[in-house]
């Protein structure tokens, strides 16, 4: 049983669909669900392919590289575990593997100098006993 009193930031709770994603992250690999019929990547994972409704889905490693799709600066102290981190920026990154394959990421600090289209890469952040894929903007 986890001692939640020691958790300082919200951490994900894996389920049957997301466990392969989190297991790969623990190994330092960004792996996303991919339909074996139409080859469409999807995130978050689902029971069926959102493109063709196929059910043959597997997790496959992706490059972890992409472009900044958009971002938002958070100023309110309303998210538990992030109160002392404001302002911080949330990034939405479009991965190179496929158009509109988007992942959300946390970034310390403000959005100074960010521009849509900037190159990004994944890195793996250890939070508590959990490994979180995060993205950084390349300069």
């Amino acid at each position: 049983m986890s001692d939640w009193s020691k958790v300082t930031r919200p951490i994900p709770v894996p389920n049957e669909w997301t466990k392969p994603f989190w297991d790969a992250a623990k190994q330092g690999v960004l792996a996303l669900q991919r339909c074996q019929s139409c080859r469409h990547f999807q995130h978050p994972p689902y029971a069926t392919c959102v493109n063709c409704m196929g059910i043959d889905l597997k997790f496959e490693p992706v490059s972890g590289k992409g472009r900044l799709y958009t971002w938002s600066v958070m100023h309110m102290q309303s998210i538990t575990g992030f109160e002392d981190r404001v302002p911080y920026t949330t990034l939405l990154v479009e991965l190179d593997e496929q158009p509109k394959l988007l992942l959300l990421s946390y970034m310390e600090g403000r959005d100074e100098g960010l521009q849509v289209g900037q190159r990004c890469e994944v890195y793996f952040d250890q939070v508590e006993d959990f490994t979180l894929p995060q993205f950084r903007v390349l300069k």
Side-chain angles (χ1 to χ4, degrees):
M1 194 98 184
S2 297
D3 181 1
W4 287 96
S5 67
K6 295 179 181 171
V7 173
T8 58
R9 273 177 55 185
I11 56 173
V13 178
N15 62 32
E16 66 178 300
W17 304 114
T18 63
K19 188 174 180 329
F21 175 83
W22 297 116
D23 288 347
K26 191 181 292 185
Q27 302 302 315
V29 175
L30 184 61
L32 301 179
Q33 193 180 49
R34 190 173 201 185
C35 178
Q36 300 303 294
S37 297
C38 73
R39 308 301 292 160
H40 180 81
F41 280 105
Q42 60 187 26
H43 188 78
Y46 296 101
T48 61
C49 175
V50 298
N51 189 53
C52 76
M53 299 304 289
I55 58 170
D56 187 8
L57 303 165
K58 294 188 170 116
F59 280 78
E60 295 182 10
V62 294
S63 68
K65 296 180 180 176
R67 295 195 177 277
L68 183 59
Y69 189 79
T70 192
W71 70 93
S72 178
V73 179
M74 309 302 283
H75 294 278
M76 295 183 63
Q77 296 179 333
S78 58
I79 309 275
T80 301
F82 289 88
E83 300 92 346
D84 63 341
R85 291 178 162 87
V86 295
Y88 63 89
T89 304
T90 55
L91 305 176
L92 194 57
V93 176
E94 182 178 46
L95 296 181
D96 289 345
E97 278 75 10
Q98 172 183 296
K100 303 295 189 265
L101 181 57
L102 304 171
L103 271 77
L104 192 63
S105 181
Y106 164 84
M107 183 179 96
E108 299 246 353
R110 295 173 173 254
D111 66 334
E112 295 172 26
L114 292 181
Q115 294 181 348
V116 169
Q118 280 181 292
R119 296 295 297 161
C120 300
E121 69 179 4
V122 73
Y123 69 96
F124 296 89
D125 190 14
Q126 195 68 33
V127 177
E128 310 296 337
D129 291 328
F130 222 82
T131 305
L132 299 174
Q134 300 286 9
F135 284 86
R136 63 178 143 242
V137 176
L138 302 174
K139 300 292 178 184

